Structure formats: C-alpha cells, structure tokens
Amino acid sequence: MPFTEADALRSRKDFPALQRSRDGDALAFLDGPGGSQVPAAVIEAIADFYATCNVNTHGNFPPSREVDRRMQQAREVVAVFLGAASGDCISFGQNMTTLNFALSAALGRTLAPGDEVLITQLDHEANRGPWLRLQERGIVVREVPLEASGELNAGELAARISARTKVFALGASSNALGTVNDIALARRLTRAVGALLVIDAVHYAPHFPIDVRAMDPDFLLCSSYKFYGPHVGVLYSKPGALERLPTDRLMVQDEAAPYRIETGTLNHAAIDGARAAIEYLASWGAGATLRERIVDAMTAISAHEHDLARTYHESVGRIPGVRVWGPGFGTRARAPTVSITLDKLTAAQAAASLGARGICVWDGHFYAVRALEALGLAGLGLLRTGVSMYTTRAEIHRLLGALESLA
Ligand SMILES: Cc1ncc(COP(=O)(O)O)c(C=O)c1O
C-alpha cells in the first residue's frame, strides 16, 4: 500500500501536537531526529494504563495481572516490529543511552585487557561513550574514521577488525548526516573474527523496517520516542546472548532474559505507549499479520519520507550560500535527514530565525560530536531537517522559502 501526500495529510489529524499553531501559522515539526510527535492512540493507551492498572507487576490481584499481560504484549509487539523470534529478546529501559551503558558494562566484564572494541567517528555519543568507558579496564577502543563524504570507508573498517576485536558498536544510520551504514559488511567482518556486533538503530528504526533475523546483530538498540512513541529504550538481544552477560542486577531480580538487564521498576505506562505506537504505524499497512502490516507501512512511509528529503536535499543545495553535508540521495539507502551550513549565519542563528517563523529544526551537534569534529565543524554546528511520516511537501517548500530569504 503506498503512503501518499494525501496519507501524510490524513495522518496529521491523528497527532494532537500538529494542530498547534503559532500566530495563525501551523508549526512545522521538522525536528523528528530529535524526537517525533505522538498520535492520540499512544496518548490514549498511556492514559488508559493510568486509569485502569497503575499498579506494580507480579501481584496476585487483577490490575497487577493486567500489567503483566500488557508488558508481555508490549515485548511481543516490539519483537514483531524488529522481526525478533519472541518477546524474550526484548528488554526495556529508560532510554537507549542507559541501556547501552548497562550493556557495555556487562560486556566489558567478559573482556580482558588488550581486547579491542571498535567504534566509529560517525556515531552518536550514546554509542561511543559507553564503549570508551571500557578503556578504564584496559580495553583498547579503536575508531573507524569518517570520510569527508559523511560515510565510513569499507577498507578503513576492514583494516580495523582483527582477531583482537571482540565487539563492534556501529550505528545503523547517522542522526546528524542521514548516512546508512553497511550492516551486512559489518556482520561479515565481525563474524569472521568471532566479534559481537552491537547496532544502534535509534535513527534507523523510525525510517526503515528492521529484520533482526536478516541483519543478525548480537544486540540492537532503539528508542520509542523516535518512532511516534513515548520515552522508552529498547534492547534486542539475540536468543542466548543476554544470558551470557554478567549484568548489574539485584540478587532478587529475575536472571532470565529479557529481565536480566532491566533494573528497578520500569515505566509501564510508557512501555504500553510504545506498543501502541507500533500498532499505530501498522495501521497504515496491509497484510494478514502484524509483521506484514508493519513492514508494508514502514516501506511505504519510508518511500514518502525519502521523496520529500530528496526534494529538500536537491533544492537546498541550489540556494547560494548553503552547503549540504552528508551523502547524496543516490542508489544507496539514505535516512531522510539532511544537514546544512549557511555562509552568512550560524546554525543557531538560522534555527532561531526559522523557529520565530514556526519552523522547528535542530541546530548543533546532536551528540554526534565526533562526526562534526571529523568534518571540521566542531563548535559550529549543523542545521538539521528531519522528515517524518506527517511531513508534507508544503512544509518542505515553506522551509526552502524561509532559507532562501535567510541565506
Ligand atoms: C543515533 C542515536 N543514537 C542514540 C541516541 C540516544 O537515544 P536515547 O535518547 O534514547 O538515549 C540518539 C538520540 O538522539 C540517536 O539519535
């Protein structure tokens, strides 16, 4: 089922925040890479949780059994979203960063001084900082350099993977430049030396269907607030992978996966909201199963987003005084996230001027600090536009018009 401009317009009615206006003008939310808006279905699911079963899990009374049921259902729906074998592969946490710190600390305990972890210059700090921390234990952290094109070079990557490499932590897609990395190559290279592959799919998950069985990471992380849900971090672990890790956990905590890495009481209402966000996405697809509907919807939404982002990329690059960063929209996969700099204004000044016109775009490094350093943009920042399912062609033209007058 295609997802057309008319569908994007129709979807907007589902998002209460998109009804907001500023001095008569609707707000244009082009800030999706920083977090997307939530549809009413998600807000209702969270409200219903608080209204009907706001109690803790594992009690021998009806509302608690209802929470257990909802948490299990959420694990299963997220598993279907990622193509995972079962809900036992899905752990929840506060956000991706917190889960990745827990994962890296546990994995670090299985490594010896001199063992190597590979990270990249392109990644968000959430997939660098937790691994760099392992240097305190004598682990060597190596870095794949970023090319001026905003891509990782396959040769440079291969040159850094050896028998000493135990973990490769790689982003599926860059939140700063929209680059989509070659996960299949990373899997081949890590498999050849017996290293684990940890994928940060935070920026990838909102824009592409994920199939962990095809991608085959040992661990994959994403964050529901980037795909129309509330703030909940998700960790996928390949069956058997989490059980091998000495995670930080209380003596009373369930040792089995997926609970093994989940400390304290989770945000149950938000987890129920994450489930509702995936079901909302699926409602835009066709198919007999939830998985088919998710893949159908995500494929169609992806094409719509790609089309708008490509239009923006081509047009903004023609405005004198604008420089576009990151890879182009060729044949390779590309997330619908486009970053620019302007000759006459800093990214912060441009974002403030656009913000004053009701156009919401991010400026800065978006925690991809090392990528900006590598591109010679440290301290300067980028002006980043993100396309979401509810973005319209009119919003893109409004942004282009505003940038023309600013540049
Ligand atoms: C690519 C990427 N990785 C990781 C994160 C961190 O996610 P969280 O906010 O859930 O910790 C972000 C957040 O912007 C991101 O864009």
Side-chain angles (χ1 to χ4, degrees), residues 55-141:
V55 298
N56 218 325
T57 52
H58 304 314
N60 288 312
F61 49 95
S64 183
R65 293 214 169 93
E66 172 66 13
V67 180
D68 290 340
R69 189 193 64 72
R70 289 195 195 204
M71 292 309 98
Q72 186 51 32
Q73 191 194 359
R75 287 186 208 278
E76 281 159 19
V77 168
V78 175
V80 175
F81 179 65
L82 298 178
S86 80
D88 291 348
C89 303
I90 306 299
S91 308
F92 292 114
Q94 193 180 344
N95 48 50
M96 179 277 184
T97 307
T98 310
L99 278 169
N100 209 23
F101 266 116
L103 177 67
S104 66
L107 258 166
R109 289 185 194 112
T110 68
L111 305 182
D115 282 347
E116 293 184 7
V117 170
L118 186 60
I119 60 174
T120 86
Q121 290 187 342
L122 179 57
D123 274 72
H124 187 284
E125 275 306 300
N127 200 32
R128 292 174 41 86
W131 305 107
L132 285 165
R133 193 75 200 270
L134 298 182
Q135 292 176 122
E136 290 167 10
R137 302 170 47 89
I139 313 295
V140 178
V141 179

Side-chain angles (χ1 to χ4, degrees), residues 33 95-97 124 126 173 175 200 202-203 223 225-226:
N95 48 50
M96 179 277 184
T97 307
H124 187 284
S173 175
N175 66 316
D200 169 3
V202 173
H203 191 62
S223 220
Y225 75 99
K226 309 283 186 178

Side-chain angles (χ1 to χ4, degrees), residues 31-263:
D31 61 331
S36 47
Q37 294 307 317
V38 289
V42 168
I43 300 169
E44 281 157 19
I46 295 171
D48 182 68
F49 184 93
Y50 283 118
T52 60
C53 53
N54 185 30
V55 298
N56 218 325
T57 52
H58 304 314
N60 288 312
F61 49 95
S64 183
R65 293 214 169 93
E66 172 66 13
V67 180
D68 290 340
R69 189 193 64 72
R70 289 195 195 204
M71 292 309 98
Q72 186 51 32
Q73 191 194 359
R75 287 186 208 278
E76 281 159 19
V77 168
V78 175
V80 175
F81 179 65
L82 298 178
S86 80
D88 291 348
C89 303
I90 306 299
S91 308
F92 292 114
Q94 193 180 344
N95 48 50
M96 179 277 184
T97 307
T98 310
L99 278 169
N100 209 23
F101 266 116
L103 177 67
S104 66
L107 258 166
R109 289 185 194 112
T110 68
L111 305 182
D115 282 347
E116 293 184 7
V117 170
L118 186 60
I119 60 174
T120 86
Q121 290 187 342
L122 179 57
D123 274 72
H124 187 284
E125 275 306 300
N127 200 32
R128 292 174 41 86
W131 305 107
L132 285 165
R133 193 75 200 270
L134 298 182
Q135 292 176 122
E136 290 167 10
R137 302 170 47 89
I139 313 295
V140 178
V141 179
R142 285 159 62 88
E143 207 182 53
V144 184
L146 178 63
E147 307 276 295
S149 65
E151 291 165 302
L152 300 173
N153 176 288
E156 297 279 1
L157 202 166
R160 281 165 183 77
I161 296 192
S162 72
R164 287 185 302 277
T165 312
K166 302 298 172 212
V167 180
F168 182 18
L170 173 67
S173 175
S174 158
N175 66 316
L177 302 171
T179 318
V180 170
N181 290 319
D182 190 344
I183 304 296
L185 172 70
R187 184 67 284 186
R188 275 200 306 282
L189 294 171
T190 45
R191 194 178 287 125
V193 296
L196 296 175
L197 180 63
V198 178
I199 298 293
D200 169 3
V202 173
H203 191 62
Y204 189 86
H207 305 299
F208 303 95
I210 292 181
D211 183 355
V212 285
R213 281 195 255 202
M215 226 183 220
D216 195 31
D218 295 279
F219 300 96
L220 177 143
L221 300 113
C222 60
S223 220
S224 139
Y225 75 99
K226 309 283 186 178
F227 52 85
Y228 316 109
H231 290 86
V232 174
V234 171
L235 170 69
Y236 157 82
S237 310
K238 191 190 250 192
L242 191 58
E243 283 88 337
R244 285 195 280 277
L245 296 188
T247 53
D248 276 317
R249 59 179 194 281
L250 301 178
M251 166 261 258
V252 283
Q253 200 176 324
D254 196 332
E255 282 186 358
Y259 317 105
R260 194 176 173 81
I261 200 165
E262 293 178 339
T263 45

